[in-house]
Amino acid sequence: MRLTALLLLSFLTLVTANIRKNLLLHNLFNVPSAPGDSVDPQTHLSTSRLRRLPVEFFSYYGNFTASDLVLDIFGEKGSRLPTQEDAKCIADIALLSQDLKATKLWALKVIDSWGSLPSGIFTGNLIDLGNYDECLGINHAVTSSHSIKGKYCLSRVPLAPNISPVLSLKTAVCFPASCSAAIMDTMLRKLFQTLLNFELDQEIHLVREDSCQTSERELTICIIVILSILATLTFATIYDYFYHGQNTLNPVVKAFSARANCRFLFQIVETKSNPNVIDSLHGIRCLSFIWVVFGHDYLVYLFSPNLNYIDVHWWRRSAYSMLLQHAAYSVDTFFFLSGLLLVLIALRSMEKTNGKLNIPLMYLHRYLRLTPVLAVAVLVYMKILPRMGDGPLYGKVSFDEYSICESTWAWTLLYVQNYATHDICLGHSWYLAVDMQLYILSPLILIALYKWGKKGVAGIVVAMLLLAACLFSMMVINNISLITETEDAMKKIYFSTHTRASPYLIGVVFGYFLHVKRGKSFKLNWMAVVLGWALSWALLLCCIFGVFAQQKNFETPSTLEEAFYLTFTRISWPLGLCWVVFACMHGYGGIANSILSSPLWQPLSRLSYSAYIFHMFIESLNAGLVRSNTYFSDYQVMLRFWGDFGFTILLAFAVFIIIEAPFGNLEKIFLPTQKTHPPTKAAQLKGELENKKEIERPGPAPEKNIRL
C-alpha cells in the first residue's frame, strides 16, 4: 500500500524501504470534500457498530459452546483440523464468554482493553490503540496449572469501498494468549462480514502474528556481556583514581578508565591555537548531525498513531517543510568534510615521508576505529532493542526490521552492505559503507595529488563530472526515480558509492587548495566577500527550496527534471560549503564563524560517531513506547526531538566511555602509527597528528584512523 506520507517526504531519502511500505496514508486525501454526501447511510450505520466492537464480538460468539466454536471456525470440512492449541484457545474464549456474562472483573478487563472505530477518520485518525497494559496485565488462574493471560493485537479493518478503496483502520483486540493469529483472524472475519455486510478479501489478514504481543520477556546474553564490560570499566576507573599520580599505571588499565576518557572528551581547545585546525568544522559537523536526528524524528512521527494525518497534506506545502524533506543534504555535508580532512591531514604527512604511504596500516587503522562501535550496535539493535520496552507499536515504529541482522550482519561489518544486500542491517550504516569504500580508493587520489598537483586536481574534477553524468544517465535511461519509488531506486541512486562521490571529491579538491595555500593571507574587498556569501547562500538555498513551487502545487517532476535536480544539487551543496569554510578560516565569516567555531561544539563533535550510530535506537525506543494517539505539528515534533536528542547524547556518552575511547586507546598502544620511519621523524609526526586530533572527525565516521 502506498501512502501520502511517502509522497510528502519523497526527497527526504534517508528513510529506508521498510518505512515506505508501512506508512498508512495513500488515498486518504482523495476522500470527497463532503464525505457525508457520498457515504451510503446503511454502510455508515453498520460501520458505526465497530465503535462497540468488543460488545459485538462477544454478543456474536456469546451463546456458543467450545464444540460450536470449533465447527464455526473450522467448519465441518475445514481446510485443516483444529490442533490441541486451537482447542485450548477455543476453550479459553468459551470460559471468557461465560465469565463475561457473570460480570467477573478479569473478563470485563478483556473487553475494556479493546479498541473501537476511532473518531475523526476524515481528519486522518486511523488507529485506536485500546489499552495495551490492561490487556497484558490479565492473568486469570483457571487451575493450578493453567491460567488465561492477555494477548494484545492490532487488527486491520478494511472499510467500505465507497469511502475509499484502500482505506483501512487499525484497532486493538485482546484475546487469550493461547489463541493464534489465524483463529483471531477467522473469528473477526466472520464478525466483520456480518456487521459490515460485505465479503472480505481472503488475501487480507485482519490479524497477523507479528502484530501481537504478550507479557513474556526473555533475557539475552548481550546484557551479561555489557554488565561485564561495565565491571571492567569500574575497576579501571577506581584504579586510575587512586594511582593516577604514579608513572607505573598500566597503559591498558588507563585505556579503560572513565576518568581519563572523560578528561579527553570534555577537553576544550582554544580556537586558533593551532593553525592546522579548522575550528568551524566542529560546528558544521554538529549542526549537520542535529539536522539528521531532527529529520528522522519527523519520519518517526509520520507513522506514529496521529490523530490528524490530513494536516500532513498542508504541512508538505509549507516552506518550513523543505528543511525536512531535503535533510539528506546533511549526509552530503559529511562526505564533503570527509574528503576535505583526508587531504589536509594526509598530504601534510606525505610531505614529511617523501610521499610514502603505508596503505595496509592505513586501512587497518580505519577498520579498527569504526568497527567496535558498529559491532556493538548490531548486537544492541538486534538483541536488546526488542526487549528494552514494550507498547502497542513497539518494534513497528522503527527504520529497520532488525531481525534481518541475523543473516546480513557480516556485510555490515565488511562495509559492503550497500551493494551486497537489499536488507541492510542498521539501515543508516549505508553511510559508513560508502565512506569506507571512498577511503579505500583514497590512496590513488592522494598519490595523484602529491605527484602531479594541478594535473591530479584536473583528473579528479573530470572523474567527478563523469560520475555526475553517470548518475544523470542512470536515472534518465533506466527511468529511476526516488520520488515515485521505482524498483531499487534507493539502492541504485541513494546507497551507491559512485552516485554519492561528488561531494567527497569536491571536498578533496577544496582540501588540496587549502593545503597549497596554507599560511597565505587572503585580502578580499567587501564586494568580493558579499558576492561570495551571496553565491554560497544561493547555492545552498536553491538545493533546499529549488522544487518548492512544484511541491506547493502538488506537481510531480518528471524523471528528467528529477535527474537534473539531483545531479546538480549534489555538486551545488558542497560548493556552497566551500565558501563557508574558506570565509570562516580567513576572517570573513562574521557571525557564522562565531557560531560554527565556538569551542562548545568540541565535546559534541567527539561524540558524533557514537551518537550517529545509536540515535535511531533512542528514536525507535521512544516511538514504540507510545500508549495513545499523537498529534502531528511542528511544535510536537520539536518536543519529541529534544527528548530524543538528549537521550541520544547520554547514550553516546556511555558508548564513547565504554567502547569507542577504550578501543581507540588500545589501538594506539598495540598498533603504533609509525614503525618504518626514523625515530625523530616518527615522534615529530605523531605529535603533529595528536595536535590535529580535534579535526579528524568528518562527521559520523571519524578520521582519527588516518595515520600515515
Side-chain angles (χ1 to χ4, degrees):
M1 184 184 299
R2 297 295 181 184
L3 306 173
T4 301
L6 171 61
L7 297 177
L8 304 183
L9 289 184
S10 55
F11 287 108
L12 186 53
T13 51
L14 292 175
V15 63
T16 63
N18 288 335
I19 296 177
R20 290 174 163 82
K21 294 179 182 177
N22 292 325
L23 299 181
L24 299 174
L25 274 187
H26 180 53
N27 288 330
L28 184 59
F29 299 137
N30 293 328
V31 174
S33 58
D37 296 338
S38 60
V39 177
D40 178 64
Q42 186 60 39
T43 301
H44 185 271
L45 179 62
S46 61
T47 304
S48 66
R49 298 175 67 184
L50 295 179
R51 294 193 186 278
R52 48 196 184 101
L53 185 58
V55 177
E56 295 288 349
F57 180 87
F58 287 102
S59 175
Y60 184 79
Y61 289 103
N63 296 324
F64 284 67
T65 64
S67 58
D68 294 329
L69 287 173
V70 171
L71 292 176
D72 189 65
I73 295 174
F74 297 97
E76 295 182 0
K77 297 181 180 180
S79 59
R80 67 178 179 87
L81 294 175
T83 64
Q84 184 177 359
E85 289 299 319
D86 295 333
K88 183 179 178 182
C89 164
I90 294 172
D92 286 346
I93 292 178
L95 178 61
L96 171 60
S97 181
Q98 293 174 13
D99 286 359
L100 187 59
K101 292 178 181 178
T103 64
K104 292 187 177 181
L105 181 61
W106 80 273
L108 294 175
K109 286 183 176 180
V110 172
I111 66 169
D112 186 50
S113 65
W114 279 49
S116 60
L117 180 69
S119 58
I121 292 177
F122 296 115
T123 64
N125 184 19
L126 303 175
I127 301 178
D128 190 326
L129 297 177
N131 194 308
Y132 173 83
D133 297 289
E134 185 176 33
C135 177
L136 295 193
I138 295 169
N139 189 3
H140 174 64
V142 180
T143 65
S144 58
S145 59
H146 174 57
S147 61
I148 299 178
K149 297 182 179 181
K151 184 175 184 178
Y152 177 96
C153 302
L154 278 177
S155 65
R156 179 174 174 266
V157 185
L159 295 182
N162 59 347
I163 295 179
S164 177
V166 297
L167 183 62
S168 64
L169 306 175
K170 285 189 176 181
T171 186
V173 295
C174 184
F175 280 82
S178 57
C179 295
S180 66
I183 289 184
M184 299 182 209
D185 184 273
T186 303
M187 299 182 74
L188 288 173
R189 184 179 301 275
K190 286 180 171 292
L191 174 65
F192 291 158
Q193 289 178 170
T194 300
L195 294 180
L196 303 178
N197 196 28
F198 67 85
E199 190 74 18
L200 295 174
D201 189 346
Q202 292 296 324
E203 295 183 358
I204 297 177
H205 295 280
L206 303 183
V207 180
R208 306 177 71 98
E209 200 64 54
D210 57 7
S211 73
C212 299
Q213 299 185 54
T214 62
S215 59
E216 297 179 358
R217 290 285 182 271
E218 56 182 280
L219 298 177
T220 175
I221 193 66
C222 294
I223 297 177
I224 300 175
V225 174
I226 290 177
L227 291 177
S228 301
I229 295 175
L230 287 174
T232 303
L233 177 70
T234 303
F235 169 78
T237 304
I238 294 174
Y239 194 85
D240 180 30
Y241 181 80
F242 286 103
Y243 294 95
H244 68 277
Q246 301 183 13
N247 295 327
T248 58
L249 182 63
N250 191 305
V252 176
V253 174
K254 190 174 182 179
F256 286 91
S257 171
R259 182 174 181 270
N261 292 330
C262 281
R263 284 200 302 267
F264 165 72
L265 175 62
F266 294 108
Q267 179 185 6
I268 301 295
V269 179
E270 290 295 327
T271 58
K272 299 182 180 180
S273 60
N274 189 333
N276 294 325
V277 174
I278 305 176
D279 298 302
S280 61
L281 299 192
H282 290 299
I284 294 175
R285 181 185 305 114
C286 293
L287 290 177
S288 297
F289 167 69
I290 292 171
W291 196 6
V292 169
V293 178
F294 196 36
H296 282 165
D297 263 319
Y298 266 89
L299 291 174
V300 169
Y301 223 97
L302 280 174
F303 63 105
S304 295
N306 292 315
L307 296 167
N308 59 327
Y309 273 119
I310 289 293
D311 288 348
V312 179
H313 170 78
W314 305 107
W315 174 82
R316 180 201 175 199
R317 304 178 66 180
S318 67
Y320 173 78
S321 72
M322 296 294 104
L323 296 173
L324 286 311
Q325 296 189 55
H326 301 281
Y329 293 120
S330 59
V331 183
D332 289 338
T333 302
F334 293 140
F335 286 129
F336 166 76
L337 295 178
S338 185
L340 168 64
L341 294 173
L342 168 75
V343 172
L344 284 178
I345 297 172
L347 288 184
R348 292 170 192 163
S349 300
M350 292 176 71
E351 287 182 346
K352 298 180 180 296
T353 59
N354 295 322
K356 294 181 180 179
L357 285 174
N358 190 337
I359 296 176
L361 187 63
M362 179 178 167
Y363 291 160
L364 182 59
H365 274 294
R366 176 74 169 184
Y367 188 83
L368 293 179
R369 277 297 185 183
L370 298 184
T371 307
V373 173
L374 182 61
V376 171
V378 170
L379 287 174
V380 169
Y381 278 90
M382 182 172 57
K383 298 296 185 181
I384 296 181
L385 179 59
R387 299 169 178 86
M388 277 289 292
D390 59 355
L393 298 176
Y394 199 80
K396 302 173 184 64
V397 185
S398 63
F399 295 88
D400 301 286
E401 180 62 44
Y402 295 115
S403 60
I404 64 176
C405 287
E406 296 181 1
S407 59
T408 63
W409 62 268
W411 299 125
T412 298
L413 298 185
L414 291 175
Y415 301 96
V416 293
Q417 65 269 36
N418 58 328
Y419 287 111
T421 178
H422 289 272
D423 301 318
I424 298 179
C425 173
L426 274 65
H428 58 299
S429 68
W430 71 267
Y431 165 80
L432 299 181
V434 173
D435 195 68
M436 176 66 82
Q437 291 158 21
L438 290 171
Y439 186 82
I440 291 174
L441 297 175
S442 64
L444 298 176
I445 297 174
L446 296 174
I447 293 172
L449 291 175
Y450 182 81
K451 287 189 174 182
W452 299 302
K454 293 181 180 179
K455 293 182 180 179
V457 170
I460 293 172
V461 172
V462 171
M464 186 263 297
L465 294 176
L466 290 176
L467 290 174
C470 176
L471 170 62
F472 179 85
S473 59
M474 283 176 57
M475 296 182 67
V476 174
I477 296 175
N478 298 323
N479 195 29
I480 301 175
S481 172
L482 290 173
I483 297 177
T484 58
E485 192 66 12
T486 55
E487 184 179 0
D488 285 344
M490 293 292 287
K491 182 178 178 63
K492 294 177 180 177
I493 300 300
Y494 195 78
F495 296 154
S496 298
T497 301
H498 59 284
T499 63
R500 303 308 303 252
S502 295
Y504 186 91
L505 295 178
I506 291 175
V508 166
V509 173
F510 182 61
Y512 179 77
F513 168 79
L514 296 180
H515 173 75
V516 172
K517 302 297 182 180
R518 65 189 185 279
K520 181 179 179 180
S521 178
F522 289 85
K523 301 297 182 180
L524 303 179
N525 58 47
W526 68 271
M527 291 186 63
V529 174
V530 171
L531 182 62
W533 277 108
L535 181 60
S536 174
W537 277 106
L539 291 172
L540 298 178
L541 293 178
C542 283
C543 292
I544 297 175
F545 298 101
V547 294
F548 174 58
Q550 286 183 309
Q551 292 283 95
K552 189 174 182 179
N553 297 323
F554 296 106
E555 298 175 1
T556 302
S558 65
T559 303
L560 180 62
E561 291 173 326
E562 184 184 357
F564 271 113
Y565 175 77
L566 193 61
T567 302
F568 284 107
T569 54
R570 286 188 177 170
I571 297 175
S572 302
W573 184 264
L575 286 178
L577 293 178
C578 288
W579 170 260
V580 175
V581 175
F582 176 83
C584 291
M585 288 181 63
H586 295 283
Y588 302 108
I591 190 172
N593 182 57
S594 300
I595 295 173
L596 297 177
S597 300
S598 171
L600 297 179
W601 294 115
Q602 294 175 21
L604 180 59
S605 180
R606 299 185 187 107
L607 290 176
S608 62
Y609 177 53
S610 295
Y612 176 79
I613 294 297
F614 281 94
H615 78 280
M616 287 188 180
F617 178 92
I618 296 296
E619 291 183 338
S620 299
L621 177 67
N622 291 343
L625 295 176
V626 170
R627 288 323 200 253
S628 58
N629 292 70
T630 54
Y631 184 84
F632 176 82
S633 71
D634 291 320
Y635 183 70
Q636 292 295 326
V637 179
M638 289 179 188
L639 291 178
R640 170 168 287 183
F641 162 76
W642 286 113
D644 288 347
F645 182 75
F647 280 106
T648 295
I649 296 306
L650 291 177
L651 179 58
F653 170 76
V655 172
F656 181 86
I657 298 300
I658 297 173
I659 305 295
E660 186 177 358
F663 276 92
N665 294 333
L666 292 177
E667 181 203 3
K668 295 176 183 177
I669 295 172
F670 296 109
L671 195 64
T673 58
Q674 297 288 340
K675 288 185 176 181
T676 60
H677 296 277
T680 54
K681 288 187 177 180
Q684 181 182 7
L685 179 57
K686 183 177 180 181
E688 288 189 9
L689 291 177
E690 288 301 320
N691 289 334
K692 293 195 284 283
K693 62 188 175 183
E694 291 301 318
I695 66 168
E696 292 181 343
R697 290 181 185 274
E703 289 288 347
K704 273 192 172 184
N705 38 359
I706 302 179
R707 308 294 189 184
L708 308 177

